[in-house]
Amino acid sequence: MAGPAPGSTPAGPDPDEAARRRWMGVLARAGAAEIAARLDQVPPLPPHRRLRGPETGLVMARGRQGGDGAPFNLGEMTVTRCSVRLEDGTVGHAYVAGRDARQAELAAMLDAALQDPTRRDALLAAVIEPLAAAQAAAAARVAAKAAATRVQFFTMANMR
Amino acid sequence: MMRAGFADPVLDAQACFRAVLEAMARPGRVHRVAAPPEPPAPLAAAAAAVLLTLADADTPAWLDAGAGAEAWLRFHAGCPLAASPAQAGFVLACGAPPRLAALAQGTEEEPHRSATLILQVKALEPGAGWRLTGPGIEREHRLLVEGMPPDFPAQWAANRAGFPCGVDVILCAGDRLAALPRTTALEIG
Amino acid sequence: MYVAVKGGERAIEAAHAWLAEARRGDPALPELSVAQVEEQLGLAVDRVMAEGACHDRGLAALAIKQARGDLIEAAFLLRAYRTTLPRFGASLPLETGAMRIRRRISATYKDLPGGQVLGPTFDYTHRLLDFALAAEGEAPAPAPEAPAEAATMPRVTGILAQEGLMQPEPPGDAEPPDLTRQPLSFPADRPLRLQALARGDEGFLLALGYSTQRGYGNAHPFVGEIRMGEVAVEIVPPELGFPIAIGEITVTECQMVNQFAGSKTEPAQFTRGYGLVFGHGERKAMAMALVDRSLRARELGEEAEAPAQSEEFVLYHCDNVEATGFVEHLKLPHYVDFQSELEKIRQLRATALREAAE
């Protein structure tokens, strides 16, 4: 999926790109209901028009031979994408794994709104950071369960 | 500013596909695209709708409609852009079209691998102009096309002589379209 | 040759109605929900996603319910569904080294950085039927938790590579071939083989992998590492031009370490067989790694006479949707073919009887 970048709004310098990658990643991992619940805490998002989608399609997931060699096609996965435009021309995009059209549209609306510096901090604090914290907590619980199944070897010498 | 594509990508593309199918089946008959998108200039409704309907990630497209139209098409149809008309599955010309012989002709084994040329012209009127005969036409269809290169009938005769290879043409004006499949014979009326 | 025969419509409708009734089973029992299949038959869901070559837990669970638990039929349903969807693009290669680990074991090193993490495994269970599950059980107690180390878990193959003992994978980012777009052709390079194996039938690959251990192919494998957990999937949308995460998926990876005697140009070292599958599919990942290594026989200058070393044999027959299609097509009417066979047999018999009588 390389190539020129049609339809993009000027993303500005790299710090913005890093911030945008982060919120898009958080939104892709969040359910529509979770996002909607966080949006209830903030003023309504600006009106938007659908540019493309929400529509469900496939992305071919790739691995590397031997884990670190040349790429190969592992298999496809369902992905839903949506692009919206705000009245000022800002375009928001979303690609989320699965088939949840509502999640994709909410994520695209938020991607557009978050590009507005006057809204960004409030939306990050009220929507993105709580979602990221919940995701980190869920991952930490899985890691803690895995840690409990870690083998603590002791040798015969220690047993004597 | 990026514009939207079809309002309903599935149903609108199906309706446009039906129009193209009918146009190909009855060469020279003029059809209207029912729910056209709002493409960036200089793309007009019918040509844009045909591209959105037919082009996808597996069909490189080439167009002479400028960066805005290219970005719009790539965004909505997901098709790669060909470096030259000869490498494209779909070629869209708003200005002077490339010569038919310069486009992909297909092969004897795979004649369907030829290019489809989408020509955006000034006007399409049935009932006068060219006399079209061939498969899908009972006696003859008349089609008046404004804005064609003067040597197009000669190019078309050469194209038709290469059957089963050769280019198919979809003529578009505003929200109207008509087709010239490679089997159609064309006489100046 | 097939002949179109009409007249079966009502019989087919009745058969489908009976199928629906049989699928539901005893209506006095509660109906199984798709969410229950997804949550409680998770390994069946994983297998259907792997062999259906389409990652979507909900769709795989629905397919299993619709197929009455016939997993090959379910994979077929998933493959059919995927053909209705447009392809948006391809992901960046998954970074399995950065996996959030749920399970990670090595049979080659006891003490390795990150340790042996058993995860939710059947290993060490006694394989005794648990009749407590047959009763209306209460929810199990939550699994214990322990402080997790933040340390990443380096790959065992990387540890060997540091000493120069592991044959490195040729680097590269060439666009891999895709057998969902171009039909298989031979010789098939390794990326194409891995794609075919990843969607191949677990039972077929298991039997082939087993055969390599039993003398049909000269394999002396060790499980360098098996890891299972979550990896982020990233794509670069053309309209953005930079990578974004679109979610996480569970995958199982197996690195099988095999001896390699060396050649004129390369000293003796270890080589890899590689397995990677959607979901928690340890047996499949291990079988895939064994077969991947055995298919490298020619590339490594080894004898290649066993079935598991023949890429045409393996790749042409590992896809269970293709296999079931061709085997099951024998059920279709072959009335005309068979009529000609009948006539031929009758003729031969008549000739033989006549000659015997003379």
Side-chain angles (χ1 to χ4, degrees):
Chain A
M1 297 185 77
S8 64
T9 30
D14 279 350
D16 276 4
E17 183 183 301
R20 195 168 175 201
R21 285 179 61 179
R22 176 160 184 275
W23 74 58
M24 291 181 91
V26 170
L27 291 167
R29 291 171 171 92
E34 291 174 88
I35 301 173
R38 300 312 310 179
L39 282 173
D40 286 344
Q41 317 291 314
V42 294
L45 294 178
H48 71 284
R49 197 181 153 189
R50 288 177 180 178
L51 265 186
R52 183 179 68 188
E55 58 182 348
T56 297
L58 296 167
V59 162
M60 174 59 87
R62 287 182 173 162
R64 288 189 180 279
Q65 61 182 39
D68 55 6
F72 71 94
N73 290 309
L74 173 63
E76 288 162 317
M77 57 190 285
T78 54
V79 174
T80 301
R81 70 179 177 186
C82 184
S83 297
V84 301
R85 189 182 65 206
L86 306 184
E87 278 165 354
D88 68 359
T90 308
V91 175
H93 299 290
Y95 284 79
V96 302
R99 286 168 292 124
D100 191 337
R102 182 77 188 131
Q103 181 199 357
E105 184 156 19
L106 288 173
M109 289 159 61
L110 274 162
D111 179 50
L114 278 157
Q115 291 173 58
D116 178 355
T118 64
R119 291 176 178 269
R120 181 177 301 173
D121 288 346
L123 284 174
L124 285 176
V127 180
I128 302 299
E129 297 310 334
L131 291 173
Q135 289 164 13
R141 286 200 52 211
V142 172
K145 285 181 187 173
T149 68
R150 181 171 168 179
V151 181
Q152 307 290 335
F153 285 108
F154 49 90
T155 62
M156 296 304 280
N158 287 348
M159 287 176 76
R160 252 197 314 233
Chain B
M1 186 154 86
M2 178 58 72
R3 288 161 170 266
F6 280 129
D8 185 326
V10 175
L11 293 182
D12 293 351
Q14 283 176 352
C16 181
F17 187 81
R18 167 58 68 176
V20 173
L21 198 65
E22 292 288 340
M24 282 284 181
R26 292 169 181 76
R29 287 273 189 260
V30 177
H31 294 263
R32 215 173 264 278
V33 177
E38 296 168 31
L43 275 184
V50 168
L51 274 174
L52 282 190
T53 300
L54 299 180
D56 68 17
D58 292 327
T59 57
W62 183 90
L63 45 166
D64 66 357
E70 286 179 358
W72 181 82
L73 183 67
R74 257 180 74 71
F75 182 71
H76 289 294
C79 58
L81 294 175
S84 75
Q87 293 165 312
F90 293 102
V91 175
L92 176 117
C94 299
R99 300 189 61 76
L100 296 180
L103 305 182
Q105 303 290 312
T107 63
E108 293 281 335
E109 278 178 349
E110 297 185 303
H112 60 280
R113 298 215 175 260
S114 65
T116 300
L117 173 62
I118 299 152
L119 263 178
Q120 188 167 297
V121 296
K122 286 202 188 79
L124 279 177
E125 285 300 332
W130 292 340
R131 298 176 185 278
L132 305 177
T133 52
I137 301 170
E138 191 176 4
R139 306 177 71 127
E140 68 169 24
H141 288 168
R142 308 284 306 264
L143 184 66
L144 185 66
V145 186
E146 271 184 48
M148 293 296 280
D151 69 338
F152 183 82
Q155 283 193 53
W156 186 253
N159 184 63
R160 188 165 166 264
F163 186 86
C165 298
V167 173
D168 302 310
V169 174
I170 302 174
L171 300 159
C172 297
D175 65 349
R176 293 145 70 89
L177 64 87
L180 291 177
R182 66 194 81 171
T183 51
T184 299
L186 182 160
E187 282 175 66
I188 299 166
Chain C
M1 180 183 172
Y2 316 109
V3 186
V5 181
K6 283 194 163 188
E9 291 95 337
R10 278 161 98 187
I12 289 169
E13 273 173 25
H16 288 175
W18 198 4
L19 169 66
E21 192 183 296
R23 176 190 295 122
R24 176 60 181 86
D26 181 352
L29 294 172
E31 187 182 349
L32 192 60
S33 74
V34 171
Q36 284 172 329
V37 175
E38 191 179 333
E39 288 296 311
Q40 297 174 35
L41 296 177
L43 298 186
V45 168
D46 286 347
R47 182 167 176 183
V48 167
M49 293 195 304
E51 293 172 12
C54 182
H55 190 287
D56 187 309
R57 300 192 63 79
L59 288 178
L62 173 62
I64 290 168
K65 178 174 176 174
Q66 185 176 335
R68 303 178 63 196
D70 179 338
L71 300 188
I72 293 181
E73 180 74 14
F76 194 166
L77 290 170
L78 200 52
R79 291 258 188 108
Y81 181 81
R82 70 157 277 285
T83 64
T84 66
L85 298 175
R87 172 85 66 89
F88 292 158
S91 81
L92 298 176
L94 301 175
E95 293 266 5
T96 52
M99 180 185 292
R100 292 200 290 108
I101 298 280
R102 276 197 280 152
R103 172 168 168 79
R104 187 275 199 119
I105 56 164
S106 169
T108 53
Y109 291 102
K110 178 167 67 72
D111 298 303
L112 72 170
Q116 309 264 359
V117 176
L118 302 182
T121 180
F122 291 124
D123 298 353
Y124 321 108
T125 63
H126 294 103
R127 267 72 186 216
L128 299 174
L129 278 175
D130 181 358
F131 288 95
L133 289 172
E136 292 286 327
E138 289 169 20
E145 299 181 11
E149 291 172 27
T152 55
M153 297 200 186
R155 287 199 180 92
V156 166
T157 49
I159 299 170
L160 285 166
Q162 277 173 4
E163 275 192 77
L165 300 177
M166 172 57 72
Q167 186 190 49
E169 292 290 344
D173 278 308
E175 188 69 13
D178 184 351
L179 57 79
T180 70
R181 297 290 155 128
Q182 291 96 28
L184 264 181
S185 64
F186 297 98
D189 62 6
R190 197 163 165 221
L192 190 64
R193 299 196 305 250
L194 286 169
Q195 182 184 15
L197 297 178
R199 58 202 259 132
D201 182 71
E202 179 171 320
F204 181 77
L205 296 181
L206 177 66
L208 280 175
Y210 183 40
S211 74
T212 68
Q213 290 177 271
R214 301 217 350 123
Y216 291 88
N218 194 25
H220 302 282
F222 296 89
V223 169
E225 183 178 350
I226 292 169
R227 55 170 64 197
M228 182 274 290
E230 282 64 51
V231 289
V233 184
E234 292 194 320
I235 62 170
V236 182
E239 59 271 18
L240 289 174
F242 55 81
I244 57 168
I246 60 173
E248 283 180 354
I249 61 173
T250 303
V251 294
T252 307
E253 179 185 59
C254 175
Q255 300 269 11
M256 207 61 91
V257 175
N258 287 257
Q259 225 182 76
F260 172 52
S263 65
K264 280 175 191 159
T265 52
E266 284 180 283
Q269 58 187 340
F270 293 108
T271 56
R272 271 175 260 199
Y274 187 69
L276 183 67
V277 292
F278 283 148
H280 187 180
E282 194 158 302
R283 187 187 302 118
K284 166 74 177 282
M286 293 176 74
M288 175 175 170
L290 288 173
V291 177
D292 170 49
R293 176 60 183 80
S294 65
L295 289 176
R296 298 180 64 195
R298 253 184 222 92
E299 163 203 340
L300 295 168
E302 300 167 343
E303 276 187 32
E305 281 159 7
Q309 294 167 321
S310 161
E311 64 180 32
E312 286 200 26
F313 181 77
V314 174
L315 301 187
Y316 269 146
H317 303 117
C318 68
D319 191 300
N320 58 23
V321 175
E322 278 176 23
T324 201
F326 203 50
V327 168
E328 294 202 43
H329 104 283
L330 293 172
K331 294 183 291 194
L332 296 173
H334 286 70
Y335 305 142
V336 173
D337 301 60
F338 191 66
Q339 199 62 41
S340 78
E341 299 255 326
L342 265 182
E343 276 170 28
K344 192 171 167 195
I345 292 281
R346 282 184 181 133
Q347 247 172 32
L348 289 170
R349 284 174 63 89
T351 312
L353 286 174
R354 208 169 40 239
E355 282 171 4
E358 279 167 12

